[in-house]
Amino acid sequence: PASLNHEYFGDYIGLRENFEVLKLLKAKGEDTIAFADEIEYFRHVRFQKTHSQKRILVLTERKLFVIMRDPEIDKKNAKLLASQRQPPYVFKFEVPLQDVQAVRLSPYADDFMSIVLSPAHEGDIPFIDMHKTELLAQLVDKYSNISHGRKFDVTFAEKIDYRIKSGKGVRTANIVKTS
């Protein structure tokens, strides 16, 4: 496959130059970005259909983060002096890598995947990422480094179950091959 002979970049959104996010990551004890990309995160709102929202996924040496740019903070910042503004980012997930239990991937070229987390977390992380092969390779590598060679389960399937963040159940992504 083409992905095997592909040069990887790691930071697909210029996060290494985003000082606001770097400052937040440093406050969490993280200063090395192994992978960063914009993803389509599947969000569940009570009594509504599942829909996707843009998020930033960041993989460091020890943690996985899903970050959202908060429009409410952006609105407040517009009225403040530059020195008074707060970073417009909110951490939606902060996951120590040892809490990753498995990765479920679509068998097709649709870029869907779900990161299965330990029960200590409210839900799993279902999303679409155009660079899923590199993310998986980096995640396996970083996980192996912190877990002394232990591995997590990687599965390809047309039906992928994942826990929703509210802790209220499981959803199933039915992956359908289109021509």
Side-chain angles (χ1 to χ4, degrees), residues 1-176:
S3 59
L4 294 178
N5 298 318
H6 180 74
E7 183 178 344
Y8 294 134
F9 296 103
D11 182 1
Y12 289 93
I13 55 174
L15 205 59
R16 290 184 182 108
E17 276 93 54
N18 186 324
F19 298 109
E20 291 175 322
V21 173
L22 291 176
K23 184 178 177 182
L24 292 171
L25 289 171
K26 194 160 187 86
K28 301 271 186 189
E30 301 296 324
D31 54 8
T32 304
I33 295 172
F35 180 89
D37 202 1
E38 187 173 81
I39 63 170
E40 289 289 327
Y41 170 73
F42 287 91
R43 185 168 181 262
H44 302 277
V45 179
R46 195 170 165 191
F47 304 119
Q48 294 182 14
K49 291 183 177 182
T50 301
H51 63 278
S52 66
Q53 290 185 327
K54 292 190 183 309
R55 298 280 193 263
I56 298 168
L57 185 135
V58 180
L59 176 64
T60 66
E61 296 295 321
R62 299 173 305 174
K63 290 184 180 177
L64 179 71
F65 297 94
V66 176
I67 304 169
M68 177 183 89
R69 186 168 181 111
D70 189 333
E72 294 301 316
I73 297 174
D74 276 337
K75 283 181 195 174
K76 290 177 186 173
N77 282 345
K79 300 172 186 171
L80 300 173
L81 298 171
S83 61
Q84 298 171 321
R85 293 179 183 154
Q86 50 181 304
Y89 298 98
V90 176
F91 288 95
K92 300 308 267 182
F93 284 92
E94 179 181 345
V95 181
L97 292 184
Q98 62 266 24
D99 289 353
V100 172
Q101 291 189 326
V103 174
R104 309 281 184 245
L105 300 116
S106 165
Y108 308 118
D110 56 15
D111 301 324
F112 181 83
M113 63 191 298
S114 179
I115 298 176
V116 179
L117 304 178
S118 72
H121 297 272
E122 287 185 351
D124 299 328
I125 307 173
F127 62 97
I128 292 174
D129 184 20
M130 289 179 35
H131 304 104
K132 75 177 182 181
T133 304
E134 179 179 358
L135 171 58
L136 181 61
Q138 287 283 356
L139 187 57
V140 167
D141 180 56
K142 302 306 175 207
Y143 184 90
S144 179
N145 289 346
I146 60 120
S147 67
H148 309 293
R150 208 178 62 202
K151 296 180 184 336
F152 55 78
D153 184 40
V154 176
T155 307
F156 292 85
E158 291 179 342
K159 288 187 178 214
I160 299 174
D161 292 334
Y162 56 90
R163 295 176 303 132
I164 59 174
K165 190 173 181 189
S166 66
K168 298 197 175 162
V170 174
R171 297 288 188 270
T172 300
N174 292 303
I175 312 297
V176 178

